[in-house]
Amino acid sequence: MTTVAYLLVQEPPVTLLVFAGAFNGIILPLGFGVLLWIAWRRRDLLHGYRYPVWLLAAGVAAWALTLYLAYNAITPLADL
């Protein structure tokens, strides 16, 4: 049904696809941050296992990178 609507309008759905990609870029850092928080603070869920500090530091660095990339994905949305 959606394909028929786009064929009738005669325009590609570029704006919607760009928005969907940027929205996915926002969700990634949020979910990754929640998982890092759980791994760092909730040792009861992991039966007392403690992640090594270097592994948590690598996770925080990757999370910071996803925040930066999410910011870069959001800024062009103002032009749409």
Side-chain angles (χ1 to χ4, degrees):
M1 188 66 161
T2 306
T3 304
V4 173
Y6 285 126
L7 289 174
L8 291 174
V9 175
Q10 297 285 326
E11 289 189 31
V14 174
T15 305
L16 181 60
L17 291 174
V18 169
F19 177 76
F23 186 71
N24 284 335
I26 296 168
I27 292 173
L28 177 67
L30 294 176
F32 193 42
V34 168
L35 288 176
L36 276 175
W37 180 261
I38 290 170
W40 181 41
R41 302 295 291 174
R42 295 290 309 265
R43 291 188 186 95
D44 61 322
L45 294 175
L46 300 172
H47 303 292
Y49 178 76
R50 293 182 58 146
Y51 279 100
V53 175
W54 66 270
L55 192 58
L56 285 174
V60 169
W63 178 66
L65 178 65
T66 61
L67 283 176
Y68 172 74
L69 292 173
Y71 175 76
N72 285 338
I74 292 172
T75 51
L77 287 181
D79 297 335
L80 293 176

